[in-house]
Amino acid sequence: MSNKKLYGIFTPNMVPLDDRGRINEPELRRIVDWLIEKGITGLYPNGSTGEFTRFSFEERKEIVRIVAEQNAGRRFVLAGAAEANVEKTIEAAAYYHSLGATAVAIVAPFYYKISQEGVYAYFSEIARSSPIDLTLYNIPQFANDISNETIKRLAAEHPRIIGIKDSSRDLPRYVNMMHDITPIRPDFVFLIGCEEILLPSLIMGGDGGTVATSGVVPEVVMKLYNLAMAGRIEEARQVQYGLLDLIKMIIFGADFPEAVRQAVGLRGFKMGRGRQPLSPSQQFSLEDVARTVQCILNQFGLTDAPPGGCDPLPLGLDRQSLDQIVQDVLHGLRAKGG
Amino acid sequence: MSNKKLYGIFTPNMVPLDDRGRINEPELRRIVDWLIEKGITGLYPNGSTGEFTRFSFEERKEIVRIVAEQNAGRRFVLAGAAEANVEKTIEAAAYYHSLGATAVAIVAPFYYKISQEGVYAYFSEIARSSPIDLTLYNIPQFANDISNETIKRLAAEHPRIIGIKDSSRDLPRYVNMMHDITPIRPDFVFLIGCEEILLPSLIMGGDGGTVATSGVVPEVVMKLYNLAMAGRIEEARQVQYGLLDLIKMIIFGADFPEAVRQAVGLRGFKMGRGRQPLSPSQQFSLEDVARTVQCILNQFGLTDAPPGGCDPLPLGLDRQSLDQIVQDVLHGLRAKGG
Amino acid sequence: MSNKKLYGIFTPNMVPLDDRGRINEPELRRIVDWLIEKGITGLYPNGSTGEFTRFSFEERKEIVRIVAEQNAGRRFVLAGAAEANVEKTIEAAAYYHSLGATAVAIVAPFYYKISQEGVYAYFSEIARSSPIDLTLYNIPQFANDISNETIKRLAAEHPRIIGIKDSSRDLPRYVNMMHDITPIRPDFVFLIGCEEILLPSLIMGGDGGTVATSGVVPEVVMKLYNLAMAGRIEEARQVQYGLLDLIKMIIFGADFPEAVRQAVGLRGFKMGRGRQPLSPSQQFSLEDVARTVQCILNQFGLTDAPPGGCDPLPLGLDRQSLDQIVQDVLHGLRAKGG
Amino acid sequence: MSNKKLYGIFTPNMVPLDDRGRINEPELRRIVDWLIEKGITGLYPNGSTGEFTRFSFEERKEIVRIVAEQNAGRRFVLAGAAEANVEKTIEAAAYYHSLGATAVAIVAPFYYKISQEGVYAYFSEIARSSPIDLTLYNIPQFANDISNETIKRLAAEHPRIIGIKDSSRDLPRYVNMMHDITPIRPDFVFLIGCEEILLPSLIMGGDGGTVATSGVVPEVVMKLYNLAMAGRIEEARQVQYGLLDLIKMIIFGADFPEAVRQAVGLRGFKMGRGRQPLSPSQQFSLEDVARTVQCILNQFGLTDAPPGGCDPLPLGLDRQSLDQIVQDVLHGLRAKGG
């Protein structure tokens, strides 16, 4: 489909936890198999959705090991490898390389505010020492920004840096980035991390996306991607709009990524309790969010309705395009015998 | 093309000034004729590009009068009508109505930070009294934000409010807005004010845009719009990318909108000196910007090269798609005998 | 007290409006007399509290005329003179000069975001042409920031620029500014526009403040200033703390400056309805705020309690230091026969 | 001096590294002794200045162990204990308790943006399980903000939470915080983390500060603190102003805390190379900063001048108050036989 090293839809998987709050390895393996079965292009352990900062170094290595083993070469594995300092990051990258990861994703330094010159120095040092290809990960909401100028500079100097995952939610910036970098690095991979505009990014020439929603409704997100790649823009647009309410609930319905955890649970996985404490009022509100998400998934034909049923339709959800999506997804599932 | 009250490309025209710093009426009339001849769908006096805050109330009325008279019903006229308070704003709206404006655009209150409840109250009071349809104008960089919730509330209550011009540069927000409001107000007009993503906004169902670049290269922007409307996405995308360098220079090359003034001047209009003072170093730097803009326009075949010629190509400009655009524009001009 | 051209407490007066929304001249004259009687050092018409942007150019001139006439040379008059462009600003400054204003205050350009070079050019051009001394007015929440570097550059080049009113609420910045500018301009005036930290600013060497609360409780603010000037820091601190609840309510209790209007009204002035529309829920909430303000003023001994009485004490109000302030103010009033 | 559990000046020490980038234990012990000898009130390992995020969990424990052992009960030890999740944080707190730390400091969650309800839940869960008193650490530039409302709620519910270190640089907020919380928790400790306004915070009733500059010139910072506590405000003010240029250079002269490392090195400690990579241009610029810092320290009489000597005086440094400080510090050193 693409001659780039990475492309398509990457799922930043959440990590299921057991009753004692430890990584639930069997359930994580089940999730990997399920995502692959639903057609996901790539696995992305230790992403922001995967709460990488809430695990220890050892746990992060364990997560990638489980995912890479279970994948067994079937899909791309893009492994989040940012650690406390450059030395540890290189150590992680080397380990993920040994596990067969396709590439590692390195988020910009966070907590301290550093200059673009510092961001440049950071990625340069990693790129010089990494035994595996790497992608920049830009998420200025959480970490230091990586400016288009810096990305260009890094792309020009380091063949090891093969692409970027951009979660800035800023399409003007994204198109300028593709415009500026493609002439000097035609192989550079552009993955968007803002699911509301996955389709526009693909139409403008992007290579794919890292999409939290793909961990909840992989069938629908892959449908969107495949329609877009096939140039069936009108249908793809309907799917994109059909996803907006779900995206709003799971990304913004609670402190991220708590609502994603609920939503993945609704697809039949035991996710356990998250590591970030929730107040009683947060727990109560999260139950509401989960009920709404269940109603949306039910309208997609992917879950039962919650006890007590659903209100007619969440405000703003377009019945017609939703029906269309539901029909298509059901049809696709039947065709596969799914 | 559309059954909405407004659609297409609106040019927020700059105001040419004479040697004494007064409105240059003959030149403004020439600009109006030129824009109409090049195919622009609508005129938009007193926009941000038009520096409405730097003119007096009397001057703003004069500007709309000149534009509306010269237009003589040929195109839409969307007139910026925000004044110091509601009473004056209504007075302006009534006057623009009497001049034959299609609608007025009202920017959210600026300077003071006010709550969304206050933004709602402000537009509600205007909508109740306005003798003419109005569009909200959201530009959170400069004025109070109008949240999607507030827009939805206003759209539901006030038929007088027929649409929005959104310059937030935030496509995720824009698609959510269209998704939420269209079901309750199918006639609501969505115009984007971020020219780097004009094409994506149109593909996602937007009705058009208010585009400063259309005051500089109306031929090219209309080509983009017409290709998009015709579903010729691949070609439209090339035009969109071909515009990015020009957009970067004229929007961000100097304190906005000084570089736009230079660029319009390069198309053959006497724009005069702006009202915002420039330091010597700013003037010097603006000359550099103007030279680069001239080189880009020259590559479009729309101006001579500057004295001393041009460097091969501004960084990041994609030769191939540029050639394509240039060929198409030249071809179009020849076809019209232009 | 000071050998600087300006010092002390300046009241940015609100403008009382009559039933038709016009300037209520007799009431404005009453306010001026009352402020002078209570000991205020300076009058500051057309400040942000005075809602300068919601009046027309003609009205702003009228406001200064009334204030300057009624003042009749008794106190400093610092007149806000920012208009739509430099030419109009100079025109306003000249007129205020003719009315006997001590100096004019010019806010940085707002709405458009401009570079520091542009901010420098703007003030330089005004300083070159102004017939009257001027102070910079920095309020980055509402207008373009004036960086410490730019202030230093302007102070070094333009004797006409005699000081700054800084409302950035940023004391680290304020002390650095005093530290950097005083050596090159020992006459430069520093007025703070953040009333919660009036006392710390004075202790660090500031010359005074422009304080919205001084339009509500001029007796208390002048007490704070006079104690600070007399080196009676412990007592001044109690007054500063005693003011915090009032400040919180009138500055942040409603969209600024609506709660100030209520508070001034509680001191016996007919303020009329503001020009910014309020929604029904805003009006309801403003009544609550007014009731709380009345209770605080009642505790100062300055108003009756509202009908229905007051709750024991607004949360966080320190009974002991409040009693102290009340005793002192009452004592001061008795001593003056007030 | 105070009946609170913590008060005075806490030094957030940097961690010296050896040639292989490992913790240099002997040098760290030397730093602890030196700080104590110079009169510092408390030690604060694993603060932001101490680059806690760039070390591993094991290293952070090692750092506190070394500092606590070397301190041997002579001064307060406030140990930074934030880890990847609540369980690890409790583990760290328990270990620091066993080492004899006075309290632990817990920064708000960072990277993910969470709601105030989430911030509340986070600190509540830690407070319920911690075997040692804890202080909140608010640094909204780097981590989620802890609003005054949330602090009040936590202070009211959890006796284990005994204070706050506030680095928001926002004095209006700080005085409101002290005003709101002291009545309900008279024992609550307020430490400011903004060194430009240490004196104003003390005058307003604060209990002390965590001050990076105290790791460079502990003599001068303690002098400021002691003068302030003695009510010698005028002299304290001169010291505060005398510190401003040094603060500007070491806090803002390079990506924080690189310039602090240089400055501590100038006091005679082998700090090693930091873990955050620096580009060639950053290294070059850092040398400039170090030279300026050396000149300032030389003017305090604390170092030799750099090779090549110093320019007359860094811009903005006030010769007179500097001389005063230098005299006082030298005098103090002689008196101690230092």
Side-chain angles (χ1 to χ4, degrees):
Chain A
M1 196 169 291
S2 168
N3 57 2
K4 296 200 176 180
K5 287 197 182 159
L6 299 171
Y7 57 85
I9 301 300
F10 291 75
T11 304
N13 66 280
M14 292 206 77
V15 178
L17 301 173
D18 65 21
D19 291 348
R20 296 182 317 152
R22 309 293 144 148
I23 298 167
N24 185 334
E25 177 164 345
E27 205 66 3
L28 181 50
R29 289 183 182 272
R30 274 223 307 142
I31 289 175
V32 169
D33 280 346
W34 178 72
L35 290 171
I36 291 174
E37 179 201 324
K38 297 298 182 191
I40 280 303
T41 326
L43 299 161
Y44 177 23
N46 290 338
S48 294
T49 310
E51 302 184 286
F52 73 100
T53 64
R54 292 170 181 162
F55 291 90
S56 69
F57 184 28
E58 289 67 32
E59 287 175 318
R60 280 187 288 271
K61 290 194 288 192
E62 186 72 358
I63 290 164
V64 177
R65 184 188 59 74
I66 296 167
V67 169
E69 274 183 20
Q70 192 66 19
N71 178 57
R74 291 180 286 173
R75 295 290 187 261
F76 295 131
V77 174
L78 176 62
E83 295 295 337
N85 50 59
V86 167
E87 187 180 313
K88 287 285 174 197
T89 298
I90 301 295
E91 182 185 328
Y95 179 59
Y96 302 156
H97 184 47
S98 78
L99 294 171
T102 321
V104 293
I106 313 281
V107 72
F110 50 93
Y111 192 74
Y112 298 96
K113 294 292 163 280
I114 64 177
S115 62
Q116 284 305 304
E117 196 68 24
V119 171
Y120 163 78
Y122 176 76
F123 284 114
S124 289
E125 182 144 329
I126 294 172
R128 272 192 294 269
S129 308
S130 176
I132 177 174
D133 287 337
L134 67 92
T135 59
L136 309 174
Y137 175 12
N138 192 37
I139 184 164
Q141 303 93 316
F142 296 168
N144 281 283
D145 191 37
I146 319 175
S147 76
N148 275 5
E149 266 322 296
T150 300
I151 298 166
K152 201 154 118 186
R153 195 174 166 196
L154 289 165
E157 294 180 14
H158 297 289
R160 249 316 175 219
I161 301 178
I162 61 160
I164 185 161
K165 181 214 159 172
D166 184 90
S167 296
S168 67
R169 306 180 59 79
D170 183 342
L171 195 65
R173 168 190 187 128
Y174 197 75
V175 295
N176 270 308
M177 181 170 67
M178 294 196 286
H179 180 55
D180 287 353
I181 292 175
T182 301
I184 57 170
R185 280 287 300 273
D187 65 313
F188 209 77
V189 174
F190 301 96
L191 300 175
I192 203 158
C194 176
E195 32 218 286
E196 294 95 330
I197 53 172
L198 173 59
L199 174 61
S201 80
L202 295 172
I203 291 175
M204 294 308 287
D207 298 302
T210 64
V211 180
T213 318
S214 75
V216 178
V217 288
E219 311 87 336
V220 184
V221 176
M222 288 314 300
K223 182 174 179 58
L224 192 167
Y225 177 74
N226 290 327
L227 286 170
M229 289 298 102
R232 294 162 62 183
I233 304 302
E234 183 52 35
E235 293 159 89
R237 186 170 70 175
Q238 289 191 18
V239 181
Q240 177 75 74
Y241 274 106
L243 280 170
L244 290 183
D245 292 298
L246 181 62
I247 294 168
K248 194 184 291 180
M249 291 312 291
I250 70 174
I251 306 291
F252 300 105
D255 281 1
F256 183 81
E258 282 310 315
V260 182
R261 191 188 323 278
Q262 300 295 316
V264 177
L266 287 166
R267 293 308 303 272
F269 298 97
K270 288 185 197 145
M271 300 306 294
R273 270 190 56 221
R275 291 182 167 190
Q276 190 70 10
L278 299 178
S279 77
S281 86
Q282 282 183 302
Q283 287 168 26
F284 188 78
S285 146
L286 192 55
E287 285 169 27
D288 272 355
V289 169
R291 202 170 304 118
T292 305
V293 169
Q294 189 168 352
C295 287
I296 298 175
L297 294 180
N298 176 253
Q299 288 160 351
F300 281 115
L302 300 172
T303 62
D304 294 332
C310 293
D311 286 334
L313 256 193
L315 205 63
L317 200 64
D318 170 349
R319 163 58 78 185
Q320 197 169 4
S321 61
L322 183 65
D323 282 352
Q324 172 76 31
I325 297 160
V326 170
Q327 289 310 314
D328 287 2
V329 169
L330 291 177
H331 183 269
L333 293 174
R334 274 193 300 272
K336 284 197 204 164
Chain B
M1 195 169 289
S2 169
N3 58 0
K4 294 198 176 180
K5 286 198 184 159
L6 299 171
Y7 57 84
I9 301 301
F10 291 75
T11 303
N13 65 281
M14 293 206 77
V15 179
L17 302 173
D18 65 20
D19 291 349
R20 296 182 317 152
R22 309 293 144 147
I23 299 167
N24 185 334
E25 177 164 345
E27 205 67 2
L28 180 50
R29 290 183 182 271
R30 274 223 305 142
I31 289 175
V32 169
D33 280 347
W34 178 74
L35 290 170
I36 292 175
E37 179 200 327
K38 296 297 182 191
I40 280 303
T41 326
L43 299 161
Y44 178 22
N46 290 338
S48 294
T49 311
E51 302 184 288
F52 72 99
T53 64
R54 292 170 181 162
F55 291 90
S56 69
F57 184 26
E58 289 69 32
E59 287 175 318
R60 281 188 288 271
K61 290 194 287 191
E62 186 73 357
I63 290 163
V64 178
R65 184 188 60 74
I66 295 167
V67 169
E69 274 182 20
Q70 191 67 20
N71 178 58
R74 290 180 285 174
R75 297 288 187 263
F76 295 132
V77 173
L78 177 62
E83 295 295 336
N85 51 58
V86 167
E87 187 181 314
K88 288 286 174 196
T89 298
I90 303 294
E91 181 185 329
Y95 179 60
Y96 301 157
H97 185 45
S98 78
L99 293 171
T102 321
V104 293
I106 312 281
V107 72
F110 49 92
Y111 193 74
Y112 298 97
K113 295 290 164 280
I114 64 176
S115 61
Q116 284 304 304
E117 197 67 25
V119 171
Y120 163 77
Y122 175 76
F123 283 114
S124 289
E125 182 145 328
I126 293 173
R128 272 191 293 269
S129 308
S130 176
I132 178 174
D133 286 337
L134 66 92
T135 59
L136 310 173
Y137 175 12
N138 192 37
I139 184 162
Q141 303 92 317
F142 296 167
N144 281 283
D145 191 36
I146 319 174
S147 76
N148 274 5
E149 266 321 296
T150 300
I151 298 166
K152 201 154 118 185
R153 195 175 167 195
L154 289 166
E157 295 180 13
H158 297 288
R160 249 319 173 217
I161 301 179
I162 61 161
I164 186 162
K165 181 214 160 172
D166 185 90
S167 296
S168 68
R169 306 180 60 78
D170 183 341
L171 196 65
R173 169 190 186 128
Y174 196 75
V175 295
N176 270 308
M177 181 171 66
M178 294 195 287
H179 181 55
D180 287 354
I181 291 176
T182 300
I184 57 170
R185 279 288 300 273
D187 64 312
F188 210 76
V189 174
F190 300 96
L191 301 175
I192 203 159
C194 176
E195 34 218 284
E196 294 95 331
I197 54 172
L198 174 59
L199 174 61
S201 80
L202 294 172
I203 290 175
M204 293 308 287
D207 298 301
T210 62
V211 180
T213 318
S214 75
V216 177
V217 289
E219 310 88 335
V220 184
V221 177
M222 288 314 300
K223 182 174 179 58
L224 192 168
Y225 177 75
N226 290 327
L227 286 169
M229 289 298 102
R232 294 162 62 183
I233 304 302
E234 183 52 37
E235 293 160 90
R237 185 171 70 175
Q238 289 192 16
V239 181
Q240 177 75 73
Y241 273 107
L243 279 170
L244 290 183
D245 292 298
L246 181 62
I247 293 168
K248 194 185 290 179
M249 292 312 292
I250 70 174
I251 306 290
F252 301 105
D255 281 0
F256 182 80
E258 282 310 314
V260 183
R261 193 189 321 281
Q262 300 295 315
V264 177
L266 287 165
R267 292 308 302 271
F269 297 97
K270 288 185 197 145
M271 299 306 293
R273 271 190 56 221
R275 290 182 168 192
Q276 191 69 11
L278 299 178
S279 76
S281 86
Q282 282 183 301
Q283 287 167 26
F284 188 77
S285 145
L286 191 56
E287 284 168 28
D288 273 355
V289 169
R291 202 170 304 117
T292 306
V293 169
Q294 188 166 355
C295 287
I296 298 175
L297 294 180
N298 176 252
Q299 288 159 351
F300 281 115
L302 299 172
T303 62
D304 294 333
C310 293
D311 286 334
L313 256 193
L315 207 62
L317 200 64
D318 170 349
R319 164 58 79 185
Q320 197 168 3
S321 60
L322 183 64
D323 282 351
Q324 172 75 31
I325 297 159
V326 171
Q327 289 310 314
D328 287 3
V329 169
L330 291 176
H331 183 269
L333 293 174
R334 273 193 299 273
K336 286 198 205 164
Chain C
M1 194 169 289
S2 167
N3 57 2
K4 295 200 176 180
K5 287 199 183 157
L6 299 170
Y7 57 84
I9 302 300
F10 291 75
T11 304
N13 65 281
M14 293 207 76
V15 178
L17 301 174
D18 65 21
D19 291 349
R20 295 183 316 152
R22 309 294 143 148
I23 299 167
N24 184 334
E25 177 163 347
E27 205 66 3
L28 180 49
R29 290 183 181 271
R30 276 223 304 143
I31 290 175
V32 168
D33 280 347
W34 178 73
L35 291 170
I36 291 174
E37 180 201 324
K38 297 296 182 190
I40 280 302
T41 326
L43 298 161
Y44 177 21
N46 291 337
S48 294
T49 310
E51 302 184 287
F52 73 100
T53 65
R54 292 169 181 163
F55 291 90
S56 69
F57 184 27
E58 288 69 32
E59 287 175 318
R60 281 187 288 271
K61 290 194 288 191
E62 186 72 357
I63 290 163
V64 178
R65 184 188 59 74
I66 295 167
V67 168
E69 274 183 20
Q70 191 66 19
N71 178 57
R74 291 180 285 173
R75 295 289 187 264
F76 295 133
V77 174
L78 176 61
E83 296 295 336
N85 52 58
V86 168
E87 187 181 313
K88 287 285 173 197
T89 298
I90 302 295
E91 182 185 327
Y95 178 59
Y96 302 156
H97 185 46
S98 78
L99 294 171
T102 321
V104 292
I106 313 280
V107 71
F110 50 93
Y111 192 74
Y112 298 96
K113 295 290 163 281
I114 65 177
S115 61
Q116 284 304 305
E117 196 67 25
V119 171
Y120 163 77
Y122 176 76
F123 284 114
S124 289
E125 182 144 328
I126 294 172
R128 271 192 293 270
S129 308
S130 175
I132 178 173
D133 286 338
L134 65 93
T135 60
L136 308 174
Y137 175 12
N138 192 37
I139 184 163
Q141 303 92 316
F142 296 168
N144 281 283
D145 190 37
I146 320 175
S147 76
N148 274 5
E149 266 321 297
T150 300
I151 298 166
K152 201 154 117 186
R153 194 175 168 197
L154 289 165
E157 295 180 13
H158 297 288
R160 250 317 174 217
I161 301 178
I162 60 161
I164 185 162
K165 181 214 160 171
D166 184 90
S167 297
S168 67
R169 307 179 60 78
D170 183 342
L171 195 66
R173 168 191 186 127
Y174 197 74
V175 295
N176 270 309
M177 181 169 66
M178 294 195 287
H179 181 56
D180 287 353
I181 292 176
T182 301
I184 56 169
R185 280 288 299 273
D187 64 313
F188 209 76
V189 175
F190 301 96
L191 301 175
I192 203 157
C194 176
E195 33 218 284
E196 294 95 331
I197 54 171
L198 174 59
L199 174 62
S201 80
L202 295 172
I203 291 175
M204 294 308 287
D207 299 300
T210 63
V211 180
T213 318
S214 75
V216 177
V217 289
E219 311 87 336
V220 184
V221 177
M222 288 314 300
K223 183 175 179 58
L224 192 168
Y225 177 75
N226 291 326
L227 287 169
M229 289 298 101
R232 295 162 62 183
I233 303 301
E234 183 52 37
E235 294 161 88
R237 185 171 69 176
Q238 289 191 18
V239 181
Q240 177 75 74
Y241 274 107
L243 278 171
L244 290 183
D245 292 298
L246 181 62
I247 293 168
K248 194 185 291 181
M249 291 312 292
I250 70 174
I251 306 290
F252 300 105
D255 281 359
F256 182 81
E258 281 311 314
V260 182
R261 192 190 321 279
Q262 300 295 315
V264 177
L266 288 165
R267 294 308 302 273
F269 298 96
K270 287 184 197 147
M271 298 307 292
R273 271 190 54 221
R275 290 183 168 189
Q276 191 69 10
L278 298 178
S279 77
S281 87
Q282 282 183 301
Q283 288 167 26
F284 188 78
S285 146
L286 191 55
E287 284 169 27
D288 273 355
V289 169
R291 202 170 304 118
T292 305
V293 169
Q294 189 167 353
C295 288
I296 299 175
L297 295 180
N298 176 252
Q299 288 159 351
F300 281 115
L302 300 172
T303 62
D304 294 333
C310 292
D311 286 333
L313 256 192
L315 206 64
L317 199 65
D318 170 350
R319 164 58 78 186
Q320 196 169 5
S321 61
L322 184 63
D323 282 352
Q324 172 76 32
I325 297 160
V326 170
Q327 289 309 313
D328 287 3
V329 169
L330 291 177
H331 183 268
L333 293 174
R334 274 193 299 273
K336 285 198 205 166
Chain D
M1 193 169 290
S2 167
N3 58 2
K4 294 200 175 179
K5 287 199 183 157
L6 299 171
Y7 57 84
I9 302 300
F10 291 75
T11 303
N13 65 281
M14 292 206 77
V15 178
L17 302 173
D18 65 20
D19 291 348
R20 296 182 316 152
R22 308 294 145 148
I23 299 167
N24 186 334
E25 178 164 345
E27 205 67 4
L28 180 50
R29 290 183 182 273
R30 275 222 306 141
I31 289 176
V32 168
D33 280 347
W34 177 74
L35 290 170
I36 292 174
E37 179 200 326
K38 297 297 183 190
I40 279 303
T41 326
L43 299 161
Y44 177 23
N46 290 338
S48 295
T49 311
E51 301 184 288
F52 72 100
T53 64
R54 292 169 182 163
F55 291 90
S56 69
F57 184 28
E58 289 67 33
E59 287 175 318
R60 280 188 289 270
K61 290 194 287 190
E62 186 73 359
I63 291 163
V64 177
R65 186 188 59 74
I66 297 167
V67 169
E69 273 182 20
Q70 191 67 20
N71 178 57
R74 291 180 285 173
R75 296 288 187 263
F76 295 132
V77 173
L78 176 62
E83 295 295 337
N85 51 58
V86 167
E87 187 180 313
K88 288 285 173 196
T89 298
I90 302 294
E91 183 186 328
Y95 179 59
Y96 302 156
H97 185 46
S98 78
L99 294 171
T102 321
V104 293
I106 313 281
V107 72
F110 50 92
Y111 193 74
Y112 298 96
K113 295 291 164 280
I114 64 178
S115 61
Q116 284 305 303
E117 196 67 25
V119 171
Y120 163 78
Y122 176 76
F123 283 114
S124 289
E125 181 144 329
I126 294 172
R128 273 191 293 269
S129 308
S130 176
I132 178 173
D133 286 337
L134 66 93
T135 59
L136 310 174
Y137 174 11
N138 192 36
I139 184 163
Q141 304 91 317
F142 295 169
N144 281 283
D145 190 37
I146 319 174
S147 76
N148 275 5
E149 266 322 297
T150 300
I151 298 166
K152 201 153 119 187
R153 194 175 167 196
L154 289 165
E157 296 180 13
H158 297 288
R160 250 312 175 222
I161 301 178
I162 61 161
I164 185 161
K165 181 214 160 173
D166 185 89
S167 297
S168 67
R169 307 179 60 77
D170 183 342
L171 195 65
R173 168 191 187 128
Y174 196 75
V175 294
N176 270 309
M177 182 169 65
M178 293 196 287
H179 181 55
D180 287 354
I181 292 175
T182 301
I184 56 170
R185 280 288 300 274
D187 64 313
F188 210 76
V189 175
F190 300 97
L191 300 175
I192 203 158
C194 176
E195 32 218 285
E196 295 95 330
I197 54 172
L198 174 59
L199 174 61
S201 80
L202 294 172
I203 291 175
M204 294 307 286
D207 298 301
T210 62
V211 180
T213 318
S214 76
V216 178
V217 288
E219 311 88 335
V220 184
V221 177
M222 287 315 300
K223 183 175 178 58
L224 192 167
Y225 177 75
N226 291 327
L227 287 169
M229 289 298 101
R232 294 162 62 184
I233 304 300
E234 183 52 37
E235 294 160 271
R237 186 170 70 175
Q238 289 191 17
V239 182
Q240 177 75 75
Y241 273 106
L243 279 170
L244 290 183
D245 292 298
L246 181 63
I247 294 169
K248 194 185 291 181
M249 291 312 291
I250 71 174
I251 306 290
F252 301 105
D255 281 0
F256 182 81
E258 282 310 315
V260 182
R261 192 189 320 280
Q262 299 295 316
V264 177
L266 288 166
R267 292 308 303 273
F269 298 97
K270 287 186 197 145
M271 299 306 293
R273 270 191 55 221
R275 291 182 169 191
Q276 191 70 10
L278 299 179
S279 76
S281 86
Q282 282 183 300
Q283 288 168 25
F284 188 77
S285 145
L286 191 55
E287 285 169 27
D288 272 355
V289 169
R291 203 170 304 116
T292 305
V293 169
Q294 188 167 353
C295 288
I296 298 175
L297 295 180
N298 177 253
Q299 288 159 351
F300 281 114
L302 300 172
T303 62
D304 294 332
C310 293
D311 286 333
L313 256 192
L315 205 62
L317 200 64
D318 169 351
R319 164 57 80 186
Q320 197 168 4
S321 60
L322 184 63
D323 281 352
Q324 171 77 30
I325 298 160
V326 170
Q327 289 309 314
D328 287 3
V329 169
L330 290 176
H331 183 268
L333 294 174
R334 273 192 300 272
K336 286 196 205 167

